[in-house]
Amino acid sequence: MNQPTKHATIKITGMTCANCQTAVQKALQHHPGITTATVNLATHTATIDYDPTQTTLQQIDDVIKKTGYGTETNTTTLTVEGMTCAVCQQTVTNALQHLDGVTAATVNLATHKATITYHPGIVDPTTMKHTVEHAGYHVTEPSPHHDHDDHDHGIRHIHRLTHARRRIILGFLTGIPMMILVYIPLAPLIAPDTLMILLFLIATPVFLYIGAPIFTSAAKALRNKRLSMDVMYSMGIGVSYTASVLGTIFPTQLPNFMFYDTTILLATFLLLGRYLEMNATGRTSEAITKLIGLQAKTATVIRDNTETEIPIDDVQVDDIILVKPGNKLPVDGIVINGESSVDESMITGEPLPTTKQKGSTVIGGTINTSGVLTIKATKVGKDTMLAQIIRLVEEAQGSRPPALRLADKAVTYFIPTILAVAILTFFLWLALGQSLLFSLTALISIIVIACPCALGLATPTAVTVGIGRGAELGILIKKGEALETIDTITTMAMDKTGTLTSGKPTITDIQGLDVDETTILQLAASVEKNSSHPLAAAVVSKAQERNVTLQNVTGFTTFGGRGVQATIDGADILIGNPAFIEERHITIPPHTKEQITSLEQQGKTILLVTRSGTLIGMLAAADPLKKTSKAAIQALHTMGLRVIMMTGDNAQAAHTVAQEIGVDEVLAEVLPQQKTEKIKALQDSGEIVGFIGDGINDAPALAQADVGIAIGSGTDIAIESGDIILVRSDLLDSVAAIQLGKKVFTRIKQNLFWAFAYNAVLIPVAALFPMVFRPEYAALAMAFSSVSVVSLSLWLKRYTPPIKQATT
C-alpha cells in the first residue's frame, strides 16, 4: 500500500529578490521525492508536497540550506516522565521523529529531557506532548518560568524516590527472612506444604505492592506494541512467582519450586537498581540547577527618585537598578555610579573578584561583594547572559554525539536477542536432561541479568555532566558532537587580533610628510569614525585623547578591512595598509618605505593616509599580546597539535608575533573567505581542524572548522558561530576545553566498554550456572552495571583540566 503524499509549508529566511525565489524553487523541484514545490517571495514560504518514503523534512531543510538560505524552525524542550531504560528513550525519540514537521528530536535518558526542532507551521508542542503520552509516558510542557519547571520536576523526582525507597525496605524486610526460612530445617515444627502456603500468603501482597511499578510500566509498553526492559523484568519476576504458586498447588508434581524469596528479592533488587540509578542520574544536571539558582528573584529599581523592589520579570531595559553589597546583580547592565568588587566565578570560572566602576559591564547572577552599585539594565529576561548560558547548556545536554549511534543500534536488537537466547537456553537445558527447575532458573536469570540501561546511560550521563562542568569553568559547549570531534583534532588554527592579542590596538606612532601630526590624526580619525574596524577605533581613541576636533565627511566607503575612503572639504581621503595604497597607484617614497619596514619589524601595523592621490602621512598601531597566549601555544604543542595563525594583518607584524609565541605556520594578509579556504584545504588533506576566533569576524572559519572555538564575546554569546564558547577572553581556556573534551570522550568510551563487557560476561554465566548465579544475584549485578556507569560519569563533576590546575 502506497503511503500518501505529505504537505508542508516551510518558512524560508534570506530571500531578497526574484532570483532567490527561483533558485530555491528549482532546487526543491529537482530534489527526489518532492512532487510539487512553490516558493512565495512575499510570504517567504515554500509550499511543498512530498513522498515521505523518498525524502524527509530534514533532507528538504538541507536542500534549502545548500542553496544558501535558511529555514525558520523552533526548538522546544519537554520533560518526559516514566522512561526507565534505553528502549524507552528510543521509543520516545522514534515517536517524535515520525511527527510531520519535526526535523530533529533527541532524548536524554539521564535528564529525562526531549529536545525537539520543528517547523511551527506544521506541528506544535501540544501535538508532541500527545504523541509522547500516547506512547505511554507523561510529559511536562515548558512554562514561562524555568525555575518553576525545575521545582516541579524536582518534587516529582523526590516523590518517586520516596515511594521506591518504601518498596525496597519492605522487600528486604520480607525477602531476607523468607530466604532464611527456606534454608532452615523446619520439618519438626511445620509441614513443608504448610510452609509453602504460609510463604504464599506473606509473599503475595508484598509482591503485588513492590512489583506494581514494573508491571504498570510493562503494561503501557505492551499496549503500545513495544518491548521494554520492564516487559523483560515482568516476565522474570512473573515467571518466578507463577512457578512458586504452581509449586504450592502441586507440590508433588513440582517439587522444590519454591521461588517466593527469590521473587521478592528479585523485584527488590530491580527496584534498588532503579532507585540508585534515579538518585545518581538526578545529580547529573546539578550544574543546570545551580545556574538556574543564580537568577535573582527581585530587583531594586529607582523610578521617580524612589527605590522600589519589584519581581525580576518586571524589570525593563534602561531601568536604573540599585545593587547593595552581598546581593546578586539582577540583570546584565552598565555601572553608572559606584565602585565595587563583583564575584563572577559562577559565570566565568574566574576565582578572583573583578573590580567594577563607572562604565564597567556587569552580568546578571554575579554577586556584588563590597560597595554599592547603580546600574542601567541593558539586557533582561531571556536575553541576559545567564539565561543564554542556561539555554545553551540545556540544548547541548540534549544533543546526541555520534558515539550514541552504537548504543542506539545495539538497543534496537537487544531485547529480541536476549529473549531468543533465554528461550533457547531453557529448551537446550531440558534437551540435555536438566530438570525443569534448573532450566527455568536459567531462563529467569538471563532475562534479569540482561539490561541495555547501562548502554543507554553510558553516553548521555557523561555528556550531561561534562557539559555542566564546562559551564562551571566558563567553557560553554554548544554541541555534544564537539566533545567527540575535539578528541581527534590534529591542527589548531587561530586568528591573531582579539585571540592571541588583546584586540584593542593603540596608536604608537604618527608621522607626517610635509603635514603636522595633528592634521594627519584629524583627517584619519574623521574618516575612521565611520568604520567598525579595531584599528579605526584606535585612531578615534587617539584623537579623543589629544582633544582633536573631527571634521564632517561624505561618501564614506570601506574596502573589506584593507582600507577606507571618504571626502573632506572636497578632497579625497584614502586610508589603508601599504599594499592597498600601492594598488591604487599612489607612490610611497623610498625613505617612507624604510620607516614602514622598521615599524613592521617591531610588530606594528601601518596605516597610510593620502589626500587627493598623494601620500601625506602614516600611523602605526600595536596590539599587545595577551599574557597567557605563549603558554597556551606551548600547551597545544604539548598535546601534539600543529598550530597555525591566520590574520588579515601584514606579514611582518604577523611573523613578529608568531616568532614570539612559537606558532608553526603563519598566513598573513588573508581575508575571511581565505581563512575558510585554508581550513577546507587542510581538511581535504586529512587534517581534523579546530579554529579559535572572535566569533563574529571569523564566523565563516568557525563554521568551516571541525570544531569552532569562539573567544569571549561579552554578553552576546547566543550569536556565536562556534561549537564551543569561552566566556573569558583567555586562550588558555581553549586548552582547557580540549582537555575537558578529551576527558569526557574517554569517559564515554570507558562507560560503553563496561556496559558491553558486563553483558558479554554475565549473560553466559547466567546461562551456564543458573543454580550458582541465582536470579536475585543477577538482579543485583544488573543494578550495579547501571549505577557504575552513572558513577563513572559523575566523577567528571570533580574534573579540573590540567591547564586550569597549573594556573590557579
Side-chain angles (χ1 to χ4, degrees):
M1 183 177 177
N2 293 328
Q3 192 168 354
T5 298
K6 290 187 176 181
H7 181 81
T9 301
I10 298 174
K11 278 277 188 182
I12 300 176
T13 59
M15 294 194 301
T16 57
C17 63
N19 287 334
C20 301
Q21 173 186 345
T22 303
V24 175
Q25 188 161 298
K26 282 184 177 180
L28 290 171
Q29 288 173 343
H30 285 88
H31 181 65
I34 294 180
T35 54
T36 61
T38 304
V39 178
N40 189 319
L41 180 62
T43 60
H44 291 272
T45 58
T47 304
I48 301 163
D49 291 315
Y50 67 99
D51 182 350
T53 63
Q54 295 186 49
T55 190
T56 64
L57 270 180
Q58 182 63 61
Q59 291 171 329
I60 293 171
D61 272 7
D62 291 340
V63 169
I64 295 170
K65 288 172 183 175
K66 286 178 182 177
T67 312
Y69 305 92
T71 59
E72 187 177 299
T73 56
N74 288 351
T75 300
T76 189
T77 301
L78 304 179
T79 299
V80 183
E81 308 285 358
M83 294 191 298
T84 58
C85 67
V87 177
C88 299
Q89 172 185 294
Q90 194 170 56
T91 300
V92 175
T93 302
N94 291 340
L96 289 168
Q97 287 178 338
H98 283 87
L99 269 178
D100 290 344
V102 171
T103 59
T106 59
V107 180
N108 190 318
L109 181 61
T111 60
H112 292 270
K113 300 282 187 182
T115 304
I116 308 106
T117 303
Y118 65 98
H119 288 283
I122 305 173
V123 70
D124 56 55
T126 301
T127 304
M128 300 172 200
K129 177 183 177 182
H130 292 158
T131 299
V132 176
E133 289 181 338
H134 182 70
Y137 303 92
H138 176 69
V139 176
T140 303
E141 291 184 81
S143 74
H145 304 286
H146 196 140
D147 54 344
H148 180 70
D149 285 340
D150 188 69
H151 177 68
D152 287 349
H153 179 64
I155 290 175
R156 289 192 298 272
H157 183 69
I158 293 171
H159 184 70
R160 288 194 301 270
L161 288 176
T162 301
H163 279 275
R165 188 162 53 243
R166 289 173 184 166
R167 287 183 166 91
I168 291 165
I169 292 171
L170 178 61
F172 280 126
L173 289 177
T174 307
I176 292 174
M178 289 176 69
M179 184 174 66
I180 294 172
L181 284 174
V182 171
Y183 288 103
I184 293 177
L186 296 173
L189 301 174
I190 186 171
D193 293 353
T194 305
L195 177 61
M196 291 287 282
I197 294 171
L198 178 62
L199 292 175
F200 166 76
L201 294 174
I202 296 172
T204 298
V206 175
F207 169 71
L208 293 175
Y209 174 64
I210 64 176
I214 298 173
F215 284 109
T216 301
S217 180
K220 286 181 181 178
L222 291 175
R223 277 201 304 270
N224 287 281
K225 299 178 182 178
R226 61 182 176 84
L227 287 174
S228 69
M229 283 313 301
D230 281 317
V231 173
M232 298 277 282
Y233 298 153
S234 296
M235 289 174 60
I237 60 178
V239 168
S240 177
Y241 177 76
T242 302
S244 302
V245 173
L246 292 174
T248 303
I249 299 172
F250 309 107
T252 307
Q253 293 88 338
L254 298 172
N256 300 319
F257 265 56
M258 218 303 293
F259 287 115
Y260 288 120
D261 60 324
T262 298
T263 301
I264 298 300
L265 290 175
L266 184 54
T268 303
F269 280 129
L270 290 173
L271 288 178
L272 176 63
R274 189 155 294 170
Y275 172 83
L276 295 173
E277 184 182 303
M278 282 193 300
N279 195 36
T281 54
R283 292 163 52 204
T284 60
S285 291
E286 282 182 359
I288 277 285
T289 305
K290 288 179 182 177
L291 286 171
I292 293 171
L294 294 176
Q295 295 174 316
K297 301 294 186 293
T298 61
T300 301
V301 299
I302 301 175
R303 293 175 179 171
D304 300 325
N305 296 320
T306 304
E307 294 180 17
T308 307
E309 187 170 332
I310 63 173
I312 192 66
D313 291 339
D314 293 340
V315 177
Q316 300 176 3
V317 172
D318 293 335
D319 269 345
I320 305 302
I321 302 170
L322 188 70
V323 187
K324 297 177 181 178
N327 289 352
K328 293 178 182 176
L329 276 297
V331 294
D332 295 351
I334 297 175
V335 177
I336 59 174
N337 193 23
E339 183 173 338
S340 180
S341 293
V342 175
D343 180 3
E344 297 181 329
S345 60
M346 62 289 293
I347 302 293
T348 66
E350 177 59 55
L352 298 177
T354 305
T355 300
K356 300 293 181 181
Q357 53 193 3
K358 187 176 181 179
S360 299
T361 58
V362 290
I363 303 168
T366 56
I367 300 173
N368 182 23
T369 61
S370 52
V372 177
L373 291 176
T374 304
I375 69 169
K376 183 178 181 180
T378 56
K379 293 193 176 179
V380 300
K382 62 182 179 60
D383 295 324
T384 64
M385 185 177 190
L386 181 57
Q388 291 179 46
I389 289 174
I390 292 170
R391 186 165 61 252
L392 286 176
V393 173
E394 282 192 325
E395 289 175 0
Q397 289 180 339
S399 61
R400 295 172 69 80
L404 204 53
R405 295 173 193 155
L406 178 63
D408 287 344
K409 197 167 186 179
V411 167
T412 302
Y413 303 103
F414 191 87
I415 293 180
T417 302
I418 293 303
L419 277 174
V421 169
I423 294 169
L424 181 62
T425 301
F426 174 78
F427 286 109
L428 187 60
W429 279 128
L430 285 178
L432 292 174
Q434 287 292 348
S435 67
L436 179 61
L437 177 63
F438 185 97
S439 304
L440 195 61
T441 304
L443 181 142
I444 295 171
S445 294
I446 292 172
I447 288 176
V448 172
I449 193 67
C451 178
C453 294
L455 280 173
L457 290 167
T459 299
T461 53
V463 168
T464 299
V465 178
I467 288 173
R469 180 57 179 148
E472 293 173 347
L473 296 169
I475 300 166
L476 304 180
I477 301 164
K478 290 177 65 177
K479 301 176 183 176
E481 294 90 333
L483 291 169
E484 189 164 337
T485 308
I486 209 167
D487 188 55
T488 61
I489 286 179
T490 57
T491 298
M492 183 62 77
M494 61 188 68
D495 181 38
K496 178 177 78 72
T497 305
T499 301
L500 291 164
T501 65
S502 67
K504 294 181 179 179
T506 57
I507 301 299
T508 58
D509 301 85
I510 304 173
Q511 295 185 18
L513 280 68
D514 300 326
V515 178
D516 62 80
E517 289 185 9
T518 301
T519 300
I520 295 297
L521 185 58
Q522 183 185 50
L523 291 173
S526 297
V527 175
E528 294 284 16
K529 70 181 179 182
N530 300 288
S531 172
S532 59
H533 194 280
L535 285 176
V539 173
V540 174
S541 177
K542 193 69 174 179
Q544 292 173 341
E545 180 186 316
R546 293 193 178 184
N547 296 317
V548 174
T549 302
L550 303 188
Q551 297 176 278
N552 294 326
V553 304
T554 58
F556 176 81
T557 306
T558 183
F559 297 91
R562 303 172 66 226
V564 292
Q565 185 176 16
T567 300
I568 298 179
D569 292 334
D572 185 34
I573 308 298
L574 188 67
I575 304 169
N577 60 43
F580 174 71
I581 295 300
E582 287 187 321
E583 285 176 9
R584 312 288 288 195
H585 306 294
I586 297 173
T587 302
I588 301 176
H591 71 277
T592 303
K593 287 186 177 181
E594 291 176 4
Q595 290 177 318
I596 291 172
T597 301
S598 175
L599 291 168
E600 286 180 341
Q601 286 175 346
Q602 299 171 39
K604 296 180 180 180
T605 301
I606 307 302
L607 286 177
L608 298 181
V609 182
T610 73
R611 181 167 57 188
S612 300
T614 302
L615 181 66
I616 62 171
M618 66 178 175
L619 303 95
D623 184 9
L625 279 170
K626 293 177 182 176
K627 294 180 181 179
T628 57
S629 292
K630 187 173 183 178
I633 300 301
Q634 290 174 342
L636 292 172
H637 280 146
T638 302
M639 293 178 182
L641 300 181
R642 176 186 175 201
V643 181
I644 300 175
M645 184 176 76
M646 301 179 180
T647 178
D649 209 345
N650 69 78
Q652 185 62 56
H655 281 283
T656 300
V657 171
Q659 187 174 7
E660 184 175 347
I661 61 177
V663 301
D664 301 307
E665 184 180 343
V666 177
L667 291 176
E669 301 179 28
V670 293
L671 299 174
Q673 63 266 30
Q674 292 173 312
K675 294 181 183 180
T676 305
E677 291 166 3
K678 174 62 176 178
I679 292 172
K680 191 174 187 309
L682 288 168
Q683 291 169 329
D684 291 341
S685 67
E687 299 284 336
I688 307 298
V689 184
F691 183 83
I692 308 173
D694 62 18
I696 300 172
N697 297 330
D698 293 313
L702 285 164
Q704 178 63 45
D706 295 288
V707 177
I709 301 177
I711 284 269
S713 58
T715 58
D716 290 323
I717 61 170
I719 63 172
E720 294 289 0
S721 302
D723 304 305
I724 297 173
I725 299 168
L726 308 180
V727 176
R728 295 190 305 154
S729 202
D730 187 344
L731 198 63
L732 281 177
D733 282 354
S734 67
V735 180
I738 296 171
Q739 292 173 339
L740 176 65
K742 286 179 177 290
K743 185 69 174 180
V744 172
F745 190 58
T746 297
R747 188 53 44 86
I748 289 172
K749 290 188 287 187
Q750 290 172 344
N751 284 350
L752 288 172
F753 169 79
W754 286 115
F756 277 113
Y758 158 82
N759 285 291
V761 171
L762 292 185
I763 289 174
V765 171
L768 296 173
F769 309 104
M771 303 309 288
V772 177
F773 196 66
R774 291 170 56 84
E776 58 266 40
Y777 304 154
L780 184 60
M782 181 280 299
F784 176 76
S785 70
S786 295
V787 174
S788 61
V789 162
V790 177
S791 298
L792 281 171
S793 295
L794 285 173
W795 281 354
L796 289 168
K797 293 173 67 174
R798 301 180 180 179
Y799 176 72
T800 300
I803 195 71
K804 285 279 191 181
Q805 296 175 7
T807 54
T808 54

